[in-house]
Amino acid sequence: MKILLIEDEPKLVSIIQRDLTAEGHEISVALDGTTGLEMAMKMDFQLIILDIMLPGINGIEVCRRLRQANQNAAILMLTALGTTENVVVGLDSGADDYMVKPFSLAELNAAIG
């Protein structure tokens, strides 16, 4: 699966990228919301793993803009913001799923399917 990971924590990017690559996925990375949005608009991804708290454009706005542009890649929010309100806002912005940090790699792989 072709996946775009939009995450600003380099250590977490490295862990996720290594795991998902080992699972046979093709991973592209953006370290900020602006770059991630540009990449998502220009390239064809099947899944976007998206943090909310990002430099540049936050993940909620990235998600909204992608959905307004009729980008239909699945979007998985992966964030430390775990209140019910945060989850509702994330899903209402157009995300297909929402996972709270910390998480296990097994849980992430199960969510990806």
Side-chain angles (χ1 to χ4, degrees):
M1 181 181 302
K2 194 169 178 184
I3 300 172
L4 173 59
L5 173 61
I6 307 175
E7 169 64 57
D8 65 331
E9 296 177 36
K11 185 176 178 182
L12 185 56
V13 167
S14 177
I15 292 167
I16 292 172
Q17 190 172 29
R18 183 174 49 244
D19 179 72
L20 295 182
T21 300
E23 292 291 324
H25 301 290
E26 181 184 331
I27 311 300
S28 297
V29 175
L31 298 174
D32 63 80
T34 305
T35 303
L37 179 61
E38 289 172 4
M39 290 174 70
M41 293 291 217
K42 291 178 182 175
M43 296 183 227
D44 186 30
F45 295 99
Q46 294 167 291
L47 173 66
I48 299 169
I49 301 173
L50 179 59
D51 189 10
I52 291 178
M53 296 183 294
L54 293 165
I57 304 169
N58 72 48
I60 297 294
E61 187 60 25
V62 169
C63 189
R64 284 187 182 131
R65 290 186 190 185
L66 289 172
R67 293 305 186 222
Q68 287 170 352
N70 293 319
Q71 293 289 332
N72 42 354
I75 297 175
L76 168 63
M77 293 274 185
L78 183 61
T79 179
L81 302 176
T83 68
T84 300
E85 181 181 340
N86 295 132
V87 174
V88 169
V89 169
L91 294 173
D92 282 350
S93 72
D96 298 290
D97 202 354
Y98 195 103
M99 188 176 296
V100 179
K101 298 174 190 175
F103 62 94
S104 73
L105 291 173
E107 183 181 8
L108 178 62
N109 284 310
I112 291 171

